Amino acid sequence: MNIEHSTVQRLEVFNTLNVEVFIKREDQIHHFISGNKYRKLKYNLKVAKELGYSTILTFGGAFSNHIAAVAAAGYLQGFKTIGIIRGEELRDKTQHNDTLTFAKSQGMQLSFVSREAYRAKTSKVFIDALKQQFGKFYLIPEGGTNTLAVKGCEEILSLKDQNFDFVCCPVGTGGTIAGLINASKTHQKILGFSALKNNVLTSNISKFVTQSNWSLINDFHFGGYAKVNQELIAFLNAFNVEYNIPLDPIYTGKMMFGIFEMIKKGLFFKNAKVLAIHTGGLQGIAGINSKLKKKGLPLITYYK
Ligand SMILES: *Cc1c(COP(=O)(O)O)cnc(C)c1O
């Protein structure tokens, strides 16, 4: 797996202002090490290897794309991987969770901690205790965002992408948008669609970026992180029928829903060219589908 630039597809979008929408298929990099998670890990794993580490330790929730990506990339590159997972109650239920089952199949050692302990995961005390328990490791933060991750995400955009007026991406911890901002030209505007309800991301992004041509859009999180409703699921299924492109319900689906709403409202100027980054995340669909099934709600239909 060594990808430089993924393909860009044009979507036919009906609208009166002739706004053109394109999608960059970072999801096609790898099913599990997909999109931005591949970009974020690239230089971290390179440096970990150069520094002589054989173990990678990181953090995540039960459906985390980052956990799946670290497990798969670690396995491919010969690292031992350790995942510190939020929620002790999951310890005996990993067989019912697709992400954790996958992570284990890639050799990741899972360690479950209470939600309370997890909140302290960046404290020195907690990390020292992990060192006592697991020995020497290269630490990657939750969601994978650090300076090396931002450097990797700068490689999402190619020279050709400078023709777009807007570049859109979903935002979790902010590393991906920071890379896009740094790689963009000043005539471009980078729009981040927040996947979280709490608007605490601005400072996370600011500390990594060198330009101010960006803004965050907080209107399309659907009630919060990983929250979905029937309208969103219907949008994802219809989008896949129309364009034959699977979106994930936590990040890219909410971004694309938002872009379409903004087009409907005339918020992009006439003839604007909009590039949406498909950051991947498709492995998370199985988990959302099992939640929907329990509630008796319609499922995402295209997940194989
Ligand atoms: C992790 C993830 C994001 C968020 O990326 P950040 O760099 O944390 O903002 C967006 N999309 C997908 C599919 C992801 O897995």
Side-chain angles (χ1 to χ4, degrees):
M1 193 183 48
N2 195 358
I3 195 127
E4 288 209 16
H5 291 297
S6 50
T7 45
V8 172
Q9 279 173 260
R10 183 175 180 279
L11 306 180
E12 295 290 340
V13 182
F14 176 78
N15 69 90
T16 48
L17 289 173
N18 195 35
V19 175
E20 286 187 273
V21 181
F22 297 78
I23 185 165
K24 187 154 203 165
R25 299 295 305 276
E26 294 275 296
D27 58 308
Q28 293 179 331
I29 292 175
H30 187 280
H31 185 68
F32 287 98
I33 318 169
S34 73
N36 63 348
K37 298 305 185 287
Y38 166 76
R39 303 288 181 187
K40 292 169 105 172
L41 286 172
K42 179 179 167 185
Y43 291 108
N44 275 292
L45 296 186
K46 187 163 178 274
V47 166
K49 201 162 275 178
E50 284 164 6
L51 295 176
Y53 287 92
S54 57
T55 301
I56 307 290
L57 180 140
T58 195
F59 308 88
F63 302 100
S64 164
N65 296 327
H66 170 66
I67 287 289
V70 170
Y75 179 77
L76 280 176
Q77 299 200 15
F79 288 101
K80 175 176 164 42
T81 55
I82 299 168
I84 308 299
I85 308 297
R86 182 180 61 226
E88 283 173 312
E89 74 283 1
L90 293 159
R91 183 176 293 122
D92 305 317
K93 293 194 210 153
T94 53
Q95 74 276 18
H96 301 304
N97 177 294
D98 295 275
T99 303
L100 298 179
T101 300
F102 170 77
K104 267 176 127 173
S105 79
Q106 302 296 292
M108 181 177 262
Q109 181 183 349
L110 302 178
S111 174
F112 297 87
V113 299
S114 71
R115 279 151 212 276
E116 195 188 347
Y118 190 86
R119 244 172 269 135
K121 64 189 171 302
T122 54
S123 74
K124 187 173 180 312
V125 179
F126 188 68
I127 291 168
D128 284 347
L130 292 173
K131 283 181 189 158
Q132 286 284 326
Q133 191 180 350
F134 298 110
K136 192 179 164 206
F137 54 74
Y138 182 88
L139 185 144
I140 300 183
E142 179 187 44
T145 290
N146 57 19
T147 306
L148 290 172
V150 172
K151 174 177 163 165
C153 290
E154 290 170 8
E155 297 177 358
I156 293 172
L157 291 180
S158 68
L159 275 178
K160 272 195 199 155
D161 297 332
Q162 294 179 1
N163 294 326
F164 295 104
D165 303 300
F166 295 91
V167 178
C168 303
C169 75
V171 178
T173 57
T176 306
I177 191 172
L180 295 172
I181 294 164
N182 290 344
S184 70
K185 291 282 161 190
T186 46
H187 69 83
Q188 299 183 295
K189 177 109 197 214
I190 315 302
L191 301 179
F193 291 76
S194 179
L196 289 77
K197 189 153 84 182
N198 296 333
N199 189 9
V200 291
L201 300 161
T202 312
S203 58
N204 290 357
I205 300 169
S206 304
K207 67 180 175 216
F208 291 113
V209 302
T210 49
Q211 311 196 89
S212 54
N213 55 334
W214 57 281
S215 40
L216 281 185
I217 293 165
N218 292 306
D219 303 330
F220 303 105
H221 55 65
F222 286 79
Y225 183 72
K227 297 261 193 316
V228 299
N229 65 16
Q230 295 204 39
E231 187 186 17
L232 179 67
I233 303 301
F235 173 80
L236 299 178
N237 288 333
F239 187 91
N240 186 59
V241 169
E242 179 75 23
Y243 303 110
N244 196 25
I245 298 173
L247 299 173
D248 86 293
I250 297 175
Y251 293 106
T252 57
K254 292 179 179 180
M255 164 189 68
M256 198 55 85
F257 185 97
I259 293 172
F260 278 36
E261 284 298 306
M262 289 171 68
I263 291 174
K264 273 191 224 156
K265 289 187 183 147
L267 297 180
F268 292 108
F269 55 75
K270 195 167 188 307
N271 297 325
K273 281 161 138 337
V274 178
L275 178 66
I277 309 297
H278 192 322
T279 45
L282 302 175
Q283 73 85 30
I285 294 175
I288 293 284
N289 263 350
S290 46
K291 279 193 205 166
L292 292 169
K293 206 170 173 179
K294 273 191 205 138
K295 292 186 186 163
L297 293 171
L299 304 186
I300 297 166
T301 52
Y302 45 80
Y303 186 72
K304 294 171 253 325

